[in-house]
Amino acid sequence: MSAYSLARSALFLMDAERSHELTLAMLSRYPQTGGLLAGAIVDDPVRLMGLDFRNRIGLAAGLDKNGECIEAFDRMGFGFVEVGTVTPRPQPGNPRPRMFRLRSDQALINRLGFNNQGVDALVTRASRARRRCVLGINIGKNADTPLELAEYDYLACLHKVYPVADYIVVNISSPNTAGLRQLQEAERFDQLLVKLGEARETLAQRHGKRRPLLVKIAPDMEDQQLLEIANAVRRHGIDGLIATNTTIARPGLEALTVAAEKGGLSGAPLKPRANQVIASLRTSVGADFPLIGVGGILSGEDALARRQAGADLLQIYTGLIYRGPGLVAECAQALAAHR
Ligand SMILES: Cc1cc2nc3c(=O)[nH]c(=O)nc-3n(C[C@H](O)[C@H](O)[C@H](O)COP(=O)(O)O)c2cc1C
């Protein structure tokens, strides 16, 4: 039995969020455990969006919302680590319980609602982290900011994270902040991208470096809307898309009581849809536009399939919970072996 499967047996006896908090506290205090748990680190360098990645496997947003464990995840062998979602002001998120395991389906449902310590705390930590990996920062809006004013939250975060992030992600796809996904709709999406694009140009001049700006999208869209998004991001000079966030659908889980919990579903049941979205986006955006694939990657085989569907880079979250840190090297190795 590996060190992680032993630890997991204990962690799975606890409430999902509680075990998450304990794990993060341990990784934050002892970053070297990241390396010890992972074992091998895979070097399979790739250059994308002007950034150099050690390998194509990244940590998905939402696991380290406050950037407390960047060093630990770096030592775990991730090529890139995305922290956040962070909002301009700290906020507590939704009432607990708000995170549920669907163990036999290798899935999670969460409705955390962007619980985080605010952008200032994250920026301080990110600026101090010693790391080799690429660092992405994922930004969102506060729950009490009206949708009409959402752009100001994104702009406030963009200004603050710009000097410390290697790339920045605009998250408009969490199902747990009321109305957020409406920002994916054509007119609002266009307006938001115009404002963010202008701000990025100003920031690029001020800091003398142009940081890639990406958008993270939901899996719960018709093909037509996906096509509109693909066209809009290229029109506005966005550097890449991350697909997908969690789903509000419950594919194959309808009979489970826990499936009735509100929130976003991640893990194995999301895999087929997340694969389809990447394949469909790749067709619309052409060969060269950067796509990051995420959703239901739980093995090296899954990683390879997502890469073959059209993703340049991959991210994992739920797979890390069920499979442990060894999954990072397993996925990176699977891709390295099939260049
Ligand atoms: C508990 C939990 C919290 C999450 N929080 C965020 C978040 O704050 N921002 C974000 O963009 N995605 C968030 N996600 C979505 C993940 O980044 C990822 O897109 C999704 O879980 C699908 O990948 P997976 O199947 O590998 O987990 C969260 C996912 C989970 C399970």
Side-chain angles (χ1 to χ4, degrees), residues 152-228:
Y152 298 104
D153 276 13
Y154 287 99
L155 289 170
C157 287
L158 179 64
H159 274 84
K160 289 194 169 170
V161 305
Y162 199 89
V164 296
D166 294 322
Y167 73 86
I168 297 142
V169 182
V170 179
N171 180 9
I172 47 172
S173 49
S174 165
N176 302 315
T177 294
L180 192 82
R181 287 180 167 196
Q182 289 176 37
L183 296 170
Q184 298 178 133
E185 290 166 10
E187 208 172 311
R188 282 204 163 101
F189 191 55
D190 256 354
Q191 277 174 14
L192 182 64
L193 295 192
V194 168
K195 292 288 192 285
L196 289 167
E198 288 169 359
R200 195 255 300 263
E201 291 319 315
T202 310
L203 288 162
Q205 299 225 333
R206 186 181 302 162
H207 295 279
K209 51 191 178 191
R210 190 176 186 279
R211 294 302 190 203
L213 195 56
L214 290 86
V215 174
K216 183 165 176 180
I217 63 169
D220 308 311
M221 275 188 270
E222 301 293 330
D223 282 356
Q224 181 56 30
Q225 198 184 352
L226 272 180
L227 187 61
E228 283 168 16

Side-chain angles (χ1 to χ4, degrees), residues 124-138:
T124 305
R125 291 203 190 94
S127 65
R128 290 185 188 147
R130 282 169 302 171
R131 59 179 168 93
R132 257 192 69 190
C133 64
V134 166
L135 181 70
I137 301 188
N138 179 307

Side-chain angles (χ1 to χ4, degrees), residues 60-62 65 85 110 138 171 216 244-246 266-267 294-296 317-318:
K65 288 181 190 275
T85 297
N110 92 85
N138 179 307
N171 180 9
K216 183 165 176 180
T244 70
N245 213 312
T246 55
S266 59
V294 51
Y317 185 140
T318 307

